[in-house]
Amino acid sequence: MQVPNYEEARIRSRQEVLVKSFNLDKDYEKIGLGKKFFIKTYGCQMNEHDSENIKGMLKAMSFTESLTMEKADFIILNTCSIRENAHNKAFGMLGRIKHLKEKRPELVVALCGCMAQEVGVIEEILKKYRFVNFVFGTNNLNDLPRLLTESFKDIKKTLNIEVYSKEGDIIEDMPVVRESKYKAYVNIIYGCDKFCTYCIVPYTRGGQRSRRKEDILKEVRELVKDGYQEVTLLGQNVNAYGKDLYTDYELADLLVDVSKTNIPRIRFLTSHPWDFTEKLVEVIKNHDNILNFVHLPVQSGSNRILKLMGRRYTKESYKKLYDKLRSIPNISITTDIIVGFPGETKEDFEETLELVNYCKYDSAFTFIYSPRENTPASKLPDNTSLEAKEERLYQLNELINKYSKESNLKMVGNVYEVLTEGYSTKEGMLFGYTETNKLVNFKGPTAAIGKIVKVKILEAKSFSLDGEIVE
Ligand code: SAH
Ligand code: SF4
Ligand code: F3S
């Protein structure tokens, strides 16, 4: 039993991070023969990609996937801690699984992901959810085959918790089953060292560790060989890429090298305004396959709140960077905003609205502040009522939607390249995304799926576009 510990999770030891190669023990290869697994994933792209690796490991162990819980021999929840409602969903799911387990005691149940790294969550599992077979953390994904084998061999074994708070080694060559045949996630940096005061990620994902450039480039080259059209380079803070590993190689350099692989489309997520260099702006401008799309979370338009959040920039410096990016023709810029941070006044909130009026974002994710266990912001006094916060969120969303619609309207009548991903939920239509990450539903032949095609935009909605294929 190894439980998480926040003291350890805070330490950024600067010890050398080891790079290891994934190896599946021969004894584990047949464990899943004739057995099915069900996986439920919550949270961000990082978690989605972890689930692709989990599926890869399970496939290597001879499991097949079940799309329903009821038919599965193994159920795994890959959880998210970012806000309270993510928690509630996962605990609600555990409640449903408990009933299944009562009927079928041989069912194996596991929990992993960010919630596994939380001290309070582990205490609750130990108290109320002892039917879970095992828990592992974000830093030891590669322990899954061993833990799962132990559970199948001895189903009566009591709840086993193996969660390490210190960041793990980097494991290369993890097996993977990707969701898409056309676009792929590629991790470039793990963890986060920023410690924004509201955010739990630096505790759940550990210290910042960049992957070696040669490993990233090898992965992208293989994706090109397999016919992939798009890669998204992933990290909690991709702009910090390389800082822990190189003295003269940063995200901008990595993007140039990835660009040379000739993959048609490159995105990167998520950028922190603090580490966004001039060189990076130039690289986006000068490379056709580095898409004109930047997600640049601002969080608040009030300098007082930004300071309390520990964001390390001001609204003035953010605007300066924003203007530089906007000067790139046809760029799309999106953001994240939190309302109701502890102590946020009406005036602070109005400054956020002002900033949105200035930036006219192409779209944005907006959230009501959610206090997270052990974070500094959760200890700040907060006198704003939930009603007032909900009202602010509503007002903000109205404004965000207005600018999204405006940016979509500007596209009507023009032709854009769209990577076709499959059939749309709208009957008889296909769907895909533009270079600027706008969702388009359009009429076109099935043969377009998996290809980058030219689509004329006919109509703009708030959250999507309708069009028809022209080439
Ligand atoms: N590493 C990325 C993404 C972090 S999570 C970044 O720093 O941009 C995605 C978004 O969730 C954040 O940008 C923030 O807007 C929101 N978020 C994070 N912690 C939150 C909290 N405690 N309450 C509400 N929203 C939060
Ligand atoms: Fe992703 Fe953050 Fe959720 Fe972890 S807490 S899964 S990093 S969104
Ligand atoms: Fe890191 Fe982003 Fe939080 S940069 S501290 S995860 S908001």
Side-chain angles (χ1 to χ4, degrees), residues 194-248:
K194 284 283 186 289
F195 288 101
C196 306
T197 59
Y198 53 82
C199 188
I200 199 163
V201 171
Y203 308 90
T204 63
R205 292 270 169 184
Q208 197 169 287
R209 290 100 76 210
S210 298
R211 264 180 93 191
R212 294 185 304 209
K213 58 183 174 189
E214 58 271 26
D215 296 326
I216 297 168
L217 291 169
K218 180 171 148 239
E219 187 174 345
V220 177
R221 279 190 208 107
E222 275 161 20
L223 289 166
V224 173
K225 226 170 34 202
D226 291 343
Y228 277 81
Q229 302 288 316
E230 181 176 313
V231 288
T232 300
L233 308 181
L234 280 186
Q236 281 303 330
N237 173 13
V238 281
N239 304 55
Y241 177 77
K243 290 192 173 182
D244 53 308
L245 200 56
Y246 304 112
T247 49
D248 56 353

Side-chain angles (χ1 to χ4, degrees), residues 47-86:
N47 250 21
E48 281 173 31
H49 188 44
D50 282 350
S51 285
E52 292 181 333
N53 287 134
I54 290 172
K55 286 183 189 180
M57 286 187 277
L58 292 172
K59 188 176 166 207
M61 294 173 76
S62 308
F63 283 89
T64 52
E65 186 170 4
S66 161
L67 297 179
T68 62
M69 282 204 302
E70 288 69 21
K71 295 218 171 88
D73 305 279
F74 171 48
I75 298 179
I76 177 162
L77 301 187
N78 189 6
T79 61
C80 170
S81 312
I82 202 80
R83 282 169 293 275
E84 185 64 37
N85 63 351

Side-chain angles (χ1 to χ4, degrees), residues 10-16 166-167:
R10 250 206 102 76
I11 297 168
R12 294 298 188 250
S13 58
R14 294 280 153 256
Q15 273 172 17
E16 202 188 345
K166 197 197 157 302
E167 57 274 11

Side-chain angles (χ1 to χ4, degrees), residues 418-422 430 442 444-453 469 471:
V418 172
L419 169 56
T420 320
E421 293 190 20
L430 302 172
F442 59 97
T446 304
I449 296 175
K451 302 209 172 74
I452 294 172
V453 294
I469 203 163
E471 202 180 289

Side-chain angles (χ1 to χ4, degrees), residues 420-432 440-446 449 455-456 458-459 461 465-469:
T420 320
E421 293 190 20
Y423 296 105
S424 160
T425 45
K426 288 187 159 186
E427 225 193 305
M429 287 182 131
L430 302 172
F431 82 99
V440 189
N441 292 300
F442 59 97
K443 288 202 193 88
T446 304
I449 296 175
V455 174
K456 183 173 181 183
L458 301 174
E459 201 188 330
K461 314 262 169 75
L465 299 152
D466 282 352
E468 66 184 6
I469 203 163

